[in-house]
Amino acid sequence: MPMDTPPPRGAALSDDDRLLVAHCAALSFPSASGSPPSAASASASFQVHHASRPYPCAAFVFPPTWSAAGWMPSSPDAGGRAPFGDAEVDPALFPSLRSVGSGVPARASAAFVAAFRGLLDGSPLQTEVSKAVAEEKRVVFTGHSSGGSIATLAAIWFLENCTRRGSVNQAQPFCVTFGAPLVGDNVFNHAVRREGWSQCILHFIMPLDIIPRILLAPLASSREQIQSVLDWLSPHSPNFSPVGNSLVIPEFYETLLRSTLSIASYEACSFMGCTSSILGTLTYFIELSPYRPCGTYLFLTSTDQLIVLTNSDAVLQLLFYCLQLDPQQQLLDAAARSLSAHWEYESIKQSVMQEIGCVDYLRAISSSLLGTQMNGTAIGGLELSKEAMLSLAAAAQWEKQREINQAKIDANCSKIQEALKSLNEYKRTCELHEVSYYDSFKLQREVHDFNSNVRRLELAGFWDEIIEMLRRRELPDAFEGREEWVNLGTSYRRLVEPLDIANYYRHSKNEDTGSYLSKGRPRRYKYTQKWREQSHRIPLGSSLESCFWAMSEELQAEMINGKSFEDLKDRVGKLESDALGWFTSGNLGRDVFLSSSSFVIWWKTLPEQHRSASCIARLVPS
């Protein structure tokens, strides 16, 4: 039933974007447009085309693979986990694809990652990309079907390298895929959104296309069925037919429907706030595909409208609800339509250059639900059930709630800053009395020591709440990458963690629990340290300046317990070297080297030969 008012329009594609999308579509479907342009430099695994419109660019085109072997690892030993063929991404290849605070790595298709790594190691891809960058051309990655998944990985690899090399003048790449299967899991999607890369990765999807959903079904038990699907789709196969009638394909289509239903229902229950124990036990009986949408999705409907979605939860729901069978429709017909849809992307070359409408789909659904009792509504050319609309609206509301949660956290920013200001005053007061604030706090002899402990506990409450919300995915994906919170977290960690360490060793918790670093360090400090390391693109674990006192306490305790200086010499030398670097960079206070500092007092008990040659000898008062 059509709406009475037109759906809200999303951000329309710019004229330049339209030209580039049409260019990518022409390159990804060369069979309909003749032979590739003579300017193409070809490789067996990719092609690069140089163009001057809409601006100087180099488009890297990745072809699809029509063999099931290219969609799944040959064995679990090849890096994939049965039954879905996913594996942890290599941090050396994709260092940002992880949850920053928790350190949980993303998982992605082992087969697609292996194919991309093969291109890096065994083709001129890196050379051609470097050449395009040197010529100040915008780098574009594109591909159809599984080629689009490789293009997505290439774009993320490029973004990783550009960011880490500090190439601030290099334009972000433009990635355009057509009917690409999903690549990674929720952590993969979270990382891409956190880094702000989603907007330059565009996935064009036909609502009925089977291929974007294919990894939602178990691969291990469907290898032969998937190969049948690919055979019917492959233009190089004698079985090529967009409307094949093999019985194997409807069977796989039915399996895919069941898998997609399970995943969509599980995720919908999660963001709708379902607390039933059944939800938690579901995954013990049914192993769900880890793959989730990532990037910006543009669904091309039969009315030549682009439904634009950046909400991963909503995209997943739409991938399911678009495949719902009409009561009058036969499974064979539905499977045939889904196969046929995978070769309909060529129409984008023409339609995208017209005044195609971009629909802000979630806003349109929210508007249509207000005051309506309709069983179904056509929005942007898609007929949806009321159940579908409610699931999509819930996904939108969950995203909105996360933004509301962030606003509440932001409102506490001034309280955090005020408490930090108070603790800075405490630190300065201690220094005026020639005492390290660490030692003063550890002794707890003055009123200002007690007041500072109150501030420490107040701040712990604020930050523990933030960390717990991050753990429950109750804050936007971009939160951990926001510069103001990275900086605030760093200031908090450097100023307050020494007080936590002092409290830990004051109560001799190390004797019962173990050292602070291995057993006692709260997550609020681990998270904020990792935020800084990710933001500054520095090695993990390299920003431990706030733990200086814990390292010192640990060395002192080990010497008291009988270890000789010779046993600890290397660790003492490393602490001294780190302390010098942190002090020089302004990340460690001068109070550490006051004559009354417990560190200085202990350091002076070390052998004279060592002290005289130490890199911090000039910082320690005689």
Side-chain angles (χ1 to χ4, degrees), residues 12 217 313 345 485 504 511:
D313 294 319
Y345 293 96
W485 278 100
Y504 191 85
E511 296 178 5

Side-chain angles (χ1 to χ4, degrees), residues 42-107:
S43 159
S45 50
F46 73 94
Q47 291 182 328
V48 55
H49 300 258
H50 298 276
S52 57
R53 296 182 64 241
Y55 36 69
C57 63
F60 292 80
V61 189
F62 300 91
T65 178
W66 303 109
S67 168
W71 291 65
M72 57 191 75
S74 56
S75 68
D77 294 336
R81 176 179 62 87
F84 296 100
D86 58 299
E88 288 186 4
V89 299
D90 182 355
L93 186 61
F94 297 112
S96 294
L97 293 185
R98 60 190 173 88
S99 176
V100 174
S102 67
V104 174
R107 300 186 70 88

Side-chain angles (χ1 to χ4, degrees), residues 23 26-42 47 49 349:
H23 181 53
L27 295 174
S28 297
F29 302 96
S31 59
S33 57
S35 58
S38 58
S41 172
Q47 291 182 328
H49 300 258
K349 287 182 285 189

